[in-house]
Structure formats: C-alpha cells, structure tokens
Amino acid sequence: MKKQIFRSIAFLGMFSSAAMATTSIEWWHGMGGNLGETVNKMAEEFNASQSDYRVVPIYKGTYEETMTAGISAFRAGEAPHIIQIFDAGAATLMNAKGAAKSVQEIMIENGYGFDIEDYVPGVRYFYGDDKGNMIGMPFNASTPVLYYNKELLAKAGVQPPKTWEEFEGIAKKLKAKGIAAFSQSHTPWIFFENFHSRHNIMMTDQNNGFSGLPKKLNYNNKHLAMHLTKMKEWKDKGYYNYYGSNWGDNQTPFEKQEVAMWFGSSGSFGGLKKSTDFDFGTTYLPYWNSVNKDAGTTFIGGAALFSMAGHSKAEYKAVAAFFDYMTKPETQYFWHKETGYVPITTAAYELAKKDGYYKANPDAEVGILQLSLDGGEWTKGYRMGFYPQTRESIYREIDRVMSDKTSVDNALKAIVKDGEKNLSRFARTVK
Amino acid sequence: MATKRVQFSHSPIPYLFIVPQLAIIAVFFFWPALQALYLSFMLEDPWGLSSQFVGFENYVELFSSSEYLSTFAFTLLYSSIVTVFSLGVALVLAVKANAILRGQSTYQLLLTWVYAIAPAAAGIMAYFIFNRNIGVVPEFLNSFGWDFRPDTNSFDATAMVILVSVWKQVPVNFVFFLAGLNSISKSVREAAQMDCESDSRRFWTITFPLLAPTAFFLLVINITYAFFETFGLIDTLTQGRPGGSTTTLVYKVYQDGFIGADLGLSSAQSVVLMLLVLLLTFVQFKFIERKVHY
Amino acid sequence: MRQEKLFDHAILWVGVVFLLFPVWLLFASSTHTTETIIKEGLQFLPGGEGFGAYATALTSSIGGTEIATGLRMTINSLIMGIGFAVGKIVIAMCAAYTLVYFRIPMANFLFWIIFSTLLLPLEVRIVPSYEVVSQLGLLNSYTGLILPLIASATATFYFQQFFKTVPEELLEAAQLDNANAFKFFIDILVPLSKTMMAAMFIIMFVVGWNQYLWPIMMTTEEAYYTIVMGIKNVLSVVREGRIPEYNVAFAMIILAMLPPVAVVILFQRWFIQGLVESEK
C-alpha cells in the first residue's frame, strides 16, 4: 500500500499534468523484442486516449518466468493487476479459487457488458471455466502453422504438404536435392497438444480437464506413438533437423534457409517478415489421413491476460477500461497486423477482411482460418495442473528419443508417469 | 575458546555490537532454513491458498524418481571432474609460476582476473562462443571431425559445461596453490634441491606433500563451487538440457520450485542439499584434516 | 636450464591465453556491426565500429522497457556490490569485536550459531528466503537485495581471526573501561584493520556484484535490475528466435564483467590477501 502511494507520488511528479484521480495499474507480460515494443505502443496509446487510468507494462522475461514472478508476487500480496499467463500455465491459475478474478465478471461489474459470442469460436472457451464463463482474456492467441520457403520447395518441384502422408513423398524429393525438409520449435505444443486437437483425440479424463480435475493422461496412445516414431525415422533419414528444445535454435535454420519448412506459431509471422529476405508462405498444420481424415481445428496457444484477485474497486475499473480498449476491433487489428497473432473478436476479424488485409497478405489469415476449422469433442482446450512441469518432461524425453537414448515407447511412458504425478499432486492442492 | 585473555568486563555494550549480526542471521538464515524444513513436509498449491501436511511423501517422491537420482549422479560426477581438472590445471600453472624468478606477479595478475567474472556472465559468454550460428568452437571442432552438438548431444553439452566451469575456477585454485608454494620456506626448498637432482622427483617427494593441506582444503571449496555457484552458469548455458543431462541438484531445486511451482517438492530437495553440505563439512573436519599432516 | 625456463613460460602463456581468449573474442566482436557477426560469426580482431556499441548498451535496455538501461543496471550493481561489501564488513567487525574482546554468557553458543551459517549457501534456502523478504515488504528494494546475502558469516570469522592476532599489549596499554569500548574499537581496531578491510572489501564487492539467482527472484521491477541478471535478457531474445543487436549484447556482457575485473586487477595485492584469508 505504502508503495502504491510512493508510486503515485512518483507518477505525479513525472506527469504533473495528470489529474489527481489517475488510477495506475501494472501489466506484467512476457513479450520481448518486436512484440514487447508493440505491447508498449498499445499501452501508450491507451494512456494517451484518456486521463483516468494509466497502465504500466512490465516485461518479466519468458512466459514461464512471468508466471513464476506472478506466483511469487501473489504469495507476497504484491500481485500485479494484470498478468499474462501462457496456455500451459492457465490451469494452474484457473483452478486456484481466489487467485484470479474473472474477466467476464470485471467487465459486467464495471458496466461494459460482455458477450462471449463476440469472440472468435476457436478462442472463446480456451480460458473459460466449466460453465462457459471467460476467466482470462485471450490476448495473444496463436496457433501452430507451417511456414515454407517457396524457393526451396520450387527447387524440388513440390508443394507444401496437407497431410503427413504427402509429406513423406515431398521430404524425399527435397532430400534428393540436398535439402532438409523441416525443423520445428515447440514439441509439446505442436506435436503433443495440437496433435490431439487436430486429430480430435482425447488428452485427459474429465473432458480434457474441463469438467473436473483430471488424473489420467492419454499421451501414451498409438497415434502419438506412431507419429513420434515417424519423427525419429525422419530425423534419421535427414528429413527432419532437430536442434534441441529451444525455440530460437530451431527457427534460425529456417531463416538461414538450412531447412525448407518450419513449424512455428502464427504469432511468429511479423518477426519472420522482418528477419527473412526470401519469399515464404504459410499453411495449415499437416495431419495424418490414416488417423483422422476429417482433421479439424487446433488449439489456440500463446497466452491470456488474467486479472489477479485482491485489488481495489477503482483498480478493477481501470482494468475493465483497459480490457475494453484491448478488445476494440481497431486495437485487435493493429496487434494482428504487427505480430501475426490472430484477432480474437469477430469484429476485429471482419475489420481486417474489410480493410483488404488478407487480399494483400493471404498468409496472415492462415492462423485464424485454421482455428475456424470444424472442431470436435476434444478440441475445446485442455486443463491440466502443473502442466508446465509436464512440458519439461516432454522436452527432456524428446531430447532423449532424438539422441537414441530412449525409445518412443519408454519416452511416452515416462511422460505419462510424470504428467500423472503432476496431475494428482495438483488435484490434491485444489480445495 | 575464541576470546582474548584481556577483556572488557560485563556490560550491555558487547550485545550492542553483536546484535545486528545475530538479528540478520535469525531473520534471513534460521527463519528461511526452518521454513524450508517445514515446507518439505507440506503439499501446497502454488498460490499459497491451501496447504496440507503430507509427512515424508515429498522425500519418498524424490528418491523414487529416476530423474532425481540421475540428477544426483550427474552432480557428483560433474563436481568431481570439475574439481580434478581445475585443481590439476591450477597446480601446473602455480608450480610453473613458482619456478620462474622474474615476472611472477605479472603472471599472477594475468591468471587470476577471471575470478571476478560472474558465473552467469561466463555462461552467457560461452553460450555465444559455442553457438552453432555465430560461435567459433563448433566450427573448430567440426574441422577435427567432431560433430559438436551441445543442443542435442548430452556428452557434448556436459563437456561444454565442464570446460566453462573449469575455466572459471582455475584462478581461485591457482592463488591458493601459489600461496602454498611460496610459503614453503626457502630453506626447505634449498635442502630439497641438494637432496634430489630430478625436478619431478623433488616435486612429488617434497613439494607435493607440503601442498597437501592446501589441496584438501581446495577440494572442499571446489566441490562447493560445483554444487552451488555454477547455478548461473548452467542457467545461462544449457538450462540443464539436453534431456536433463546437465541438471545439477541446485538447478533442479530452482526448476521444480520456480518453473514447476511445486514448493513442497522443491523444499524437500533443499533439505537434502543441506544434509549434503553438513556431510561435506563433517568429512572435512573429521577425516581430511586428520589425515593430512600440517 | 634455460630451455626449461622457456618451457615454464610457454606453459604459463598457454594458461594466460586460455583464460583471456573467450573474453577477448567477445570484446573484439563487440566492435563490429551486427551484420558482420551474423554473416561471419565472432571476430578475432577488433572492427571499425569502435565503442559505439558500448554507448548504445549504456543508454538502452535489452528486452525490457527503457527503464533498465545498461547504465541503470550498472548503478544498481554498484549499489549492490558496495552495499553488500560495506554492510558485511561493518556487521562482521562489530560481531567479531564482541566475540574476541568480551566475555559474555553463551559466547560459545553464539559462536556456533554464527558459524553454522557457513554451512548452508543461500541457494538451498532461496525459496523460503524469498517468502521472508516478501513478508517483510522488502521486495524490490536495495535492502531486500542486500540483507539476506549478509546473513552468512564468512567475514565475521575472518575478522575474528585477525583480531586475535592484534597484540594484547594494545588493550592493556589502553587501560580501557566500558565507557571507552567504542573508542578502542574506532580509534585502535579500525585503523589497525585497514588493510584487512580493504582486502575483504574487494572480495565482497565481487561476490555482491556477481549475484544472479537472488536478484532474479527478488526484483520484479526493472528499476532494480542488476546488470548480471539483466544480461539474461540477451539470452531470452536469442532463445525466442529473435536476433539481438549482437554488438550491443556483447558490449553489455563486457560491461557486466568490467567493474569487478577492474577492481581485482587494480587492487591485486589486497585481492589476493582477501581471497586467501576469507576462504580459510
């Protein structure tokens, strides 16, 4: 409290023109580089647009580090007003009764109104509770897509693959020209979670964790085992280049044209545009025809903005005003254009279309189109406690599979063992 | 007893002088240490909203986890290799520096400044030097036919972490060895020179035994270094990867406690570490100091 | 004999180069453009860009907002290094004074209480230490950054050992009573300990400056970032697949190394003394 006063005094000193009534709120995020600059721009614009509220964006490092900082701060009673929590960590927050205050509630309480139907179908329920209330605002929603180097594919006379069956033929032709087919930047996200969504396969009991606390993890299924076995085979054949568990180490080879294709995030689009000087295209995540010939939508990844509990009414009012600004079609469109993250409201999507953005940049629409594909029983999302730790186990085991230290079967067994231990420990902490 | 014979008599003044130290120790040492012990018997949700007593479950969980046991094994292996190599390199350098007459202080300067570099800074620096896109080491090793891939190959990653850890630790060992060598009195050295003609025999029969206390003392310093101080180096260089192969015990405390948000499990690991340090200290006092003749 | 000497020098030079090479490589590269580094990798020889990258590093931040500039982080690190060194020396000297010169009840017990802090590094009690600091409302403060680190008693033992070597005649000659206890401390012990204090200061400054894990956990506001933790952002940038301004990033890393290295080189004699004494 004392600190808040000091802070306000400091602000008053710095912005003597600001009215006494300015409510200042903190927004912790994990957006570095270009993304961070865009975040700062949006906050500045919001602050300039009115004089009652002031939002202060604070970069906290990676998603994991941001979440960790948030947890520590909450325990210390110093939680920020708004925090960006990534997909895998959301369950840890949403299951904790009294840690976050629902976005929907905040908006309604402060008279902004809220209609979940305003949001694009794919993002609507991912950060919602079992009753369909939105808890976190899906701020930077992305989904895994395939980027391809047009020139390299043309060299081998191939088109980007729609299915993994097609991929095998394409990779062979690329290999014949001395080109490695692909690298990918996030095994747990792209080849575990979204593999299940794309093929409509169950991830956990309790309706993927939406109707209760799950105990069973379904990763040891024959489809995933088949896919990972193939991945290892592709690596050995030189179709797939594996550069370890870091995002960047796997993205750079695509930028340096060492691989023809790269699986990354639709949110990487803006960055790639700046870092590459060759012509690249974007398309859907391939699927296995043999697993599900009607493959559908993927999960949204990225992160959502949550409002932490325990702040004053005036502060929530500021949060509501800021969220209102963030969901405005213009703001969303700006964010979408700058970064490649998908627009989260239908209105923003319509605005982008009307503006002719996709006519000029058809690739920018791929993410949102993929998220608009038909869904199934298991494509709404997933809700797993302590899941960031399970992701660490996935990284670890895949490292081992790719360096011949373990078999796919044993890796999946180890992942399920760790994952279920995390699930059951987490379930016991929820009261 | 540690006090002097001539002392001030009883008054409140001495308490005034020692209270700041005791207060800081109580608040920032004993309180957290006891809390770690307490938390290690609890299962708590990340946000601190609920907490329950689970007895020894966290410890059972730890020692039945093959990951934890392999981390344990790695830490022991890693710290022994780092200790042996950094002691070895430093000893050679110290002996050579001691042998030359002129320029000893210049060499001392040039061989000790690395001490001042933070392990985390050393790790970041090494990250770039070993980076496959811009670094020089992978290229160099490739030219020898070593397909150096620390991002995916656990042997390469381990070798890299060990090399950087040794680099960072050589100066401390060098300082102590050189000080040890300098303190071997001139007369002893002269007598030795007369007795044994051979340099290497003289070293092994006379100098080395006299250096033994220093070496054993450094052993403990180096193990402590490899256990605890390398955290920043590992966090910046490999993050314990690939496949968890460069994860030390301290790094795992951090991963489980911070990234994983599982305080109970992480605290149990802290307590295990405390016991290890106690054991190490005990060994230092009981065995090593007795075996070595000063 | 002469050949042997040459051989000795050669070995020593191998050691010198082994230690210097990586830092030199980074320094040389920091004077090139980012484009050169992307295209040709790290550089062995200095380039034509001079110290421009250092100016940029001091005035900009990597990753974060513009609050945590290189200069700001350097100042924070200085506060941390100096605050830690001074705090530790003052508290340690006072405690050692009591232990050596006064007969107080339970002195033995207090000695062991203080001694036991040497056993457990901050790393193993870091989670609860964070909780304690947060409960005291000291997150994001220099006090919170520094105090928990002072809780180990290395310096106390160092001064205790030293005070024991101070000739007892001094105390006898002073003929002091309780009223003069402060005077004895300030007028006689402190001046006598000057070299010791300097030596300890060098070591503690380096230790304080180089802290990494503790500031990472404890500072959630960029205004308190230290440079050693701040350079971690360089890695976040790279690991997320973005290309940093390499020359600025390297300049920042060199800046993070420079002050403690300079102190150790400039005050080499005190440094050696401090190192040998403090670790004993």
Side-chain angles (χ1 to χ4, degrees):
Chain A
M1 195 60 220
K2 212 192 247 167
K3 220 152 113 215
Q4 227 106 33
I5 295 168
F6 281 134
R7 228 174 263 152
S8 329
I9 292 171
F11 275 121
L12 285 181
M14 274 153 60
F15 310 96
S16 43
S17 61
M20 283 295 285
T22 301
T23 311
S24 188
I25 53 170
E26 279 186 9
W27 170 23
W28 290 8
H29 66 83
M31 310 260 81
N34 292 329
L35 299 174
E37 282 161 29
T38 313
V39 158
N40 290 343
K41 261 185 232 160
M42 289 161 89
E44 270 163 40
E45 202 187 288
F46 170 73
N47 292 338
S49 71
Q50 41 70 44
S51 57
D52 295 336
Y53 319 109
R54 183 172 177 79
V55 61
V56 184
I58 300 170
Y59 173 63
K60 304 302 294 179
T62 61
Y63 284 148
E64 286 86 352
E65 286 163 352
T66 307
M67 176 155 174
T68 301
I71 287 177
S72 309
F74 182 83
R75 293 177 68 99
E78 300 249 355
H81 305 86
I82 302 170
I83 185 165
Q84 185 186 24
I85 297 285
F86 68 132
D87 50 3
T92 305
L93 175 57
M94 285 190 287
N95 279 308
K97 300 273 170 294
K101 194 166 157 73
S102 137
V103 169
Q104 189 161 346
E105 215 174 283
I106 292 174
M107 296 310 274
I108 292 169
E109 275 174 14
N110 289 287
Y112 285 95
F114 185 91
D115 186 359
I116 204 158
E117 300 293 317
D118 290 347
Y119 291 81
V120 173
V123 309
R124 219 174 267 166
Y125 298 109
F126 195 81
Y127 301 103
D129 66 10
D130 46 345
K131 293 175 203 75
N133 291 317
M134 187 180 278
I135 310 290
M137 193 197 92
F139 162 59
N140 58 320
S142 61
T143 201
V145 293
L146 172 60
Y147 292 97
Y148 56 95
N149 185 320
K150 289 182 180 166
E151 205 178 303
L152 289 181
L153 289 193
K155 238 185 222 170
V158 292
Q159 292 294 315
K162 284 200 178 54
T163 65
W164 287 112
E165 281 91 350
E166 259 177 59
F167 165 81
E168 296 199 284
I170 291 166
K172 205 171 171 186
K173 282 185 190 154
L174 282 164
K175 185 72 201 163
K177 295 275 172 197
I179 304 165
F182 78 98
S183 64
Q184 58 88 13
S185 273
H186 201 315
T187 313
W189 183 48
I190 304 173
F191 294 106
F192 277 71
E193 295 138 35
N194 278 291
F195 181 85
H196 292 78
S197 161
R198 188 91 166 105
H199 298 98
N200 195 22
I201 303 168
M202 178 182 85
M203 281 172 80
T204 72
D205 58 333
Q206 297 284 1
N207 189 19
N208 272 5
F210 273 81
S211 21
L213 292 160
K215 297 267 171 61
K216 292 266 164 264
L217 185 57
N218 190 36
Y219 279 161
N220 199 359
N221 65 65
K222 63 174 198 262
H223 301 304
L224 183 60
M226 178 276 287
H227 181 71
L228 294 176
T229 309
K230 279 288 183 186
M231 296 264 284
K232 176 67 172 72
E233 198 184 305
W234 296 335
K235 184 191 170 273
D236 293 341
K237 282 184 176 164
Y239 297 170
Y240 164 37
N241 281 4
Y242 182 67
Y243 302 94
S245 307
N246 276 320
W247 183 285
D249 291 347
N250 289 286
Q251 181 179 342
T252 315
F254 179 69
E255 292 166 340
K256 298 183 97 176
Q257 312 207 45
E258 287 167 16
V259 294
M261 294 180 277
W262 171 64
F263 293 94
S265 157
S266 60
S268 311
F269 185 76
L272 272 186
K273 276 272 177 223
K274 284 182 190 151
S275 64
T276 55
D277 44 17
F278 56 85
D279 204 7
F280 69 84
T282 314
T283 187
Y284 295 163
L285 196 64
Y287 59 93
W288 286 99
N289 211 18
S290 58
V291 175
N292 184 350
K293 55 186 188 316
D294 302 312
T297 184
T298 43
F299 291 139
I300 55 167
L305 300 186
F306 288 86
S307 188
M308 301 301 292
H311 296 290
S312 74
K313 254 199 154 116
E315 287 164 331
Y316 285 120
K317 209 172 153 203
V319 171
F322 181 60
F323 280 166
D324 181 57
Y325 163 81
M326 291 296 273
T327 46
K328 277 196 164 68
E330 295 76 21
T331 320
Q332 276 297 315
Y333 181 36
F334 170 75
W335 176 242
H336 174 46
K337 266 200 307 196
E338 286 292 308
T339 62
Y341 282 109
V342 303
I344 55 164
T345 61
T346 321
Y349 184 32
E350 292 303 325
L351 177 66
K353 275 195 221 167
K354 218 173 75 194
D355 198 39
Y357 180 57
Y358 302 126
K359 285 224 170 65
N361 303 278
D363 287 332
E365 198 178 5
V366 170
I368 181 91
L369 286 176
Q370 182 171 297
L371 282 174
S372 311
L373 293 174
D374 287 339
E377 199 184 348
W378 306 107
T379 60
K380 195 165 74 167
Y382 62 90
R383 193 65 46 81
M384 286 188 255
F386 285 154
Y387 191 64
Q389 264 173 303
T390 308
R391 273 190 173 177
E392 286 302 317
S393 299
I394 295 173
Y395 278 129
R396 188 191 70 218
E397 293 300 324
I398 294 301
D399 270 350
R400 290 181 184 171
V401 168
M402 292 301 162
S403 55
D404 295 305
K405 288 241 167 11
T406 186
S407 67
V408 168
D409 270 354
N410 285 335
L412 285 176
K413 270 184 208 142
I415 291 165
V416 167
K417 188 172 166 243
D418 284 3
E420 291 186 346
K421 184 201 83 184
N422 294 336
L423 287 175
S424 74
R425 272 180 84 84
F426 183 77
R428 287 164 59 202
T429 68
V430 175
K431 284 279 158 70
Chain B
M1 194 40 229
T3 48
K4 286 204 163 203
R5 263 176 294 129
V6 182
Q7 286 176 324
F8 298 113
S9 59
H10 200 59
S11 89
I13 289 168
Y15 299 100
L16 237 67
F17 274 95
I18 205 168
V19 153
Q21 171 99 64
L22 291 176
I24 287 181
I25 287 176
V27 175
F28 295 108
F29 183 84
F30 285 103
W31 187 4
L34 290 175
Q35 211 166 355
L37 191 65
Y38 165 80
L39 280 172
S40 74
F41 295 105
M42 308 297 284
L43 176 62
E44 217 176 77
D45 90 292
W47 309 88
L49 297 167
S50 76
S51 158
Q52 59 194 298
F53 180 74
V54 292
F56 281 92
E57 187 187 312
N58 292 326
Y59 293 92
V60 173
E61 193 77 64
L62 270 190
F63 286 99
S64 58
S65 146
S66 59
E67 275 324 300
Y68 188 69
L69 295 176
S70 68
T71 302
F72 215 110
F74 170 74
T75 311
L76 294 180
L77 179 79
Y78 162 74
S79 43
S80 350
I81 296 179
V82 168
T83 302
V84 168
F85 276 91
S86 56
L87 281 177
V89 172
L91 182 60
V92 170
L93 291 173
V95 168
K96 296 299 169 198
N98 190 51
I100 61 159
L101 301 170
R102 247 179 299 167
Q104 205 188 87
S105 60
T106 312
Y107 280 120
Q108 177 159 314
L109 191 70
L110 290 173
L111 290 168
T112 51
W113 60 277
V114 164
Y115 169 86
I117 290 176
I124 296 181
M125 183 178 69
Y127 176 87
F128 287 111
I129 291 170
F130 287 93
N131 184 285
R132 59 179 289 277
N133 292 314
I134 62 161
V136 293
V137 175
E139 219 176 310
F140 177 74
L141 294 175
N142 288 346
S143 68
F144 288 97
W146 180 355
D147 182 22
F148 186 74
R149 294 291 295 274
D151 48 354
T152 53
N153 183 309
S154 55
F155 177 83
D156 294 355
T158 309
M160 173 176 76
V161 171
I162 287 174
L163 180 67
V164 182
S165 310
V166 169
W167 179 81
K168 176 73 191 85
Q169 188 63 2
V170 163
V172 177
N173 296 334
F174 172 80
V175 168
F176 280 97
F177 275 135
L178 190 60
L181 285 167
N182 281 335
S183 70
I184 296 172
S185 72
K186 217 175 167 196
S187 55
V188 172
R189 253 181 291 165
E190 271 162 8
Q193 203 123 30
M194 297 232 256
D195 281 354
C196 338
E197 280 292 306
S198 145
D199 266 4
S200 69
R201 236 197 97 201
R202 195 166 68 236
F203 176 78
W204 290 113
T205 54
I206 296 166
T207 317
F208 190 73
L210 284 170
L211 271 184
T214 310
F216 277 114
F217 154 79
L218 283 175
L219 200 65
V220 177
I221 298 270
N222 280 271
I223 292 173
T224 317
Y225 160 79
F227 262 72
F228 299 105
E229 288 165 45
T230 52
F231 171 87
L233 197 153
I234 287 168
D235 188 44
T236 50
L237 192 51
T238 63
Q239 297 178 304
R241 289 165 177 175
S245 62
T246 57
T247 307
T248 58
L249 289 170
V250 170
Y251 199 68
K252 203 163 164 54
V253 170
Y254 170 76
Q255 272 189 329
D256 289 353
F258 284 87
I259 307 304
D262 195 336
L263 276 188
L265 207 56
S266 161
S267 298
Q269 295 180 33
S270 291
V271 173
V272 172
L273 270 175
M274 290 186 200
L275 293 175
L276 271 178
V277 181
L278 285 175
L279 184 74
L280 198 64
T281 317
F282 181 74
V283 168
Q284 184 187 13
F285 272 96
K286 288 288 159 192
F287 299 100
I288 292 177
E289 297 217 348
R290 242 181 235 170
K291 269 189 193 152
V292 185
H293 306 287
Y294 280 93
Chain C
M1 198 64 193
R2 212 181 140 67
Q3 254 180 349
E4 258 176 55
K5 287 283 173 237
L6 269 178
F7 180 67
D8 287 350
H9 283 284
I11 297 247
L12 287 167
W13 273 104
V14 169
V16 169
V17 171
F18 169 66
L19 293 180
L20 184 66
F21 173 71
V23 180
W24 169 258
L25 205 55
L26 222 61
F27 169 74
S29 303
S30 73
T31 60
H32 285 265
T33 62
T34 294
E35 287 67 38
T36 311
I37 295 163
I38 292 171
K39 285 204 189 83
E40 297 166 27
L42 295 179
Q43 299 293 309
F44 291 90
L45 298 172
E49 299 298 305
F51 293 100
Y54 289 81
T56 316
L58 282 172
T59 52
S60 67
S61 77
I62 292 177
T65 58
E66 294 305 303
I67 299 169
T69 60
L71 184 66
R72 180 61 176 266
M73 295 195 293
T74 305
I75 291 172
N76 285 341
S77 287
L78 277 177
I79 294 175
M80 175 120 174
I82 295 172
F84 171 69
V86 171
K88 194 145 179 160
I89 290 170
V90 169
I91 283 171
M93 282 183 80
C94 291
Y97 182 48
T98 300
L99 286 174
V100 175
Y101 289 93
F102 294 90
R103 210 182 297 276
I104 54 172
M106 297 195 303
N108 216 353
F109 173 71
L110 292 181
F111 176 84
W112 282 103
I113 288 275
I114 296 175
F115 178 76
S116 66
T117 62
L118 295 180
L119 303 181
L120 305 177
L122 181 65
E123 280 82 358
V124 310
R125 54 190 156 90
I126 197 132
V127 180
S129 289
Y130 174 87
E131 303 247 305
V132 167
V133 169
S134 73
Q135 280 159 24
L136 295 175
L138 292 175
L139 292 179
N140 293 313
S141 71
Y142 295 118
T143 320
L145 266 174
I146 294 167
L147 274 190
L149 294 167
I150 296 183
S152 115
T154 36
T156 312
F157 286 90
Y158 164 74
F159 281 109
Q160 193 213 14
Q161 296 299 319
F162 173 67
F163 288 165
K164 280 199 277 182
T165 68
V166 172
E168 299 193 9
E169 293 75 35
L170 278 176
L171 187 57
E172 281 162 358
Q175 285 290 320
L176 291 177
D177 52 23
N178 285 321
N180 285 339
F182 280 102
K183 232 169 119 61
F184 177 74
F185 183 68
I186 303 286
D187 291 350
I188 296 177
L189 272 188
V190 170
L192 271 178
S193 314
K194 263 185 189 155
T195 326
M196 292 288 154
M197 287 162 72
M200 191 66 5
F201 182 88
I202 305 295
I203 299 296
M204 293 304 158
F205 173 77
V206 171
V207 171
W209 178 285
N210 286 349
Q211 289 300 319
Y212 175 72
L213 179 57
W214 181 241
I216 281 187
M217 288 191 46
M218 131 92 242
T219 57
T220 52
E221 278 172 26
E222 286 185 36
Y224 291 96
Y225 279 14
T226 65
I227 192 157
V228 172
M229 64 169 286
I231 51 176
K232 196 191 182 193
N233 276 354
V234 175
L235 284 182
S236 306
V237 171
V238 179
R239 286 189 171 135
E240 284 170 24
R242 290 174 275 121
I243 294 168
E245 289 289 321
Y246 278 121
N247 51 356
V248 179
F250 296 160
M252 197 85 102
I253 298 169
I254 297 285
L255 283 177
M257 298 174 172
L258 197 60
V261 168
V263 162
V264 162
I265 289 177
L266 291 176
F267 306 104
Q268 172 79 189
R269 206 174 55 80
W270 285 340
F271 158 66
I272 300 290
Q273 189 186 355
L275 186 61
V276 173
E277 296 287 335
S278 69
E279 298 272 19
K280 258 180 188 165

